[in-house]
Amino acid sequence: MSEAAFERELKSVAKSGKLSLGSRKAVKLLLRNQVKGIILADNAEPKVRGLIDSTAKINGIPVYVYKGTSADLGSLLGKPFKVSIIAVLDPGDSRILEVMESAK
């Protein structure tokens, strides 16, 4: 699936679903197994990225690496700050999880 389809679904989940932004919160939610999917910016900090990748793999949670920077990811969500990690808590009306799975 294309990057444009992912961006469209991410905007949809931001409107109709529930997201959590930031690495600290994402790690806590992952450890509690409250996450349905994780989105990482391509330039996410390697140490945190490794922790999230391994924890998500253990819990069977899909991880999608966005082919842009954290600034790109933040602006895609309409935020005036950088976002390196997004935890999808509820996909809402979007098909974000299907897009994430098909990108593997």
Side-chain angles (χ1 to χ4, degrees):
M1 201 148 294
S2 71
E3 203 68 21
F6 170 77
E7 291 176 1
R8 184 176 56 252
E9 293 302 324
L10 183 59
K11 288 178 183 178
S12 175
V13 75
K15 290 178 186 174
S16 66
K18 187 171 181 185
L19 300 173
S20 178
L21 310 178
S23 59
R24 289 185 191 142
K25 186 76 170 176
V27 169
K28 286 179 186 178
L29 291 167
L30 254 176
L31 292 174
R32 293 182 192 147
N33 207 17
Q34 297 176 325
V35 177
K36 301 219 188 304
I38 294 285
I39 301 163
L40 297 168
D42 202 27
N43 66 338
E45 185 180 330
K47 182 179 176 183
V48 175
R49 189 173 174 170
L51 174 65
I52 286 182
D53 275 339
S54 61
T55 308
K57 192 175 206 177
I58 290 169
N59 292 335
I61 295 168
V63 176
Y64 182 87
V65 179
Y66 177 68
K67 305 291 186 247
T69 65
S70 54
D72 296 336
L73 199 52
S75 67
L76 185 62
L77 291 173
K79 304 295 182 190
F81 49 85
K82 296 177 181 179
V83 176
S84 60
I85 299 174
I86 300 171
V88 178
L89 305 175
D90 178 16
D93 297 332
S94 75
R95 294 180 26 242
I96 191 81
L97 297 176
E98 292 172 30
V99 172
M100 291 170 68
E101 286 290 337
S102 70
K104 282 186 174 180

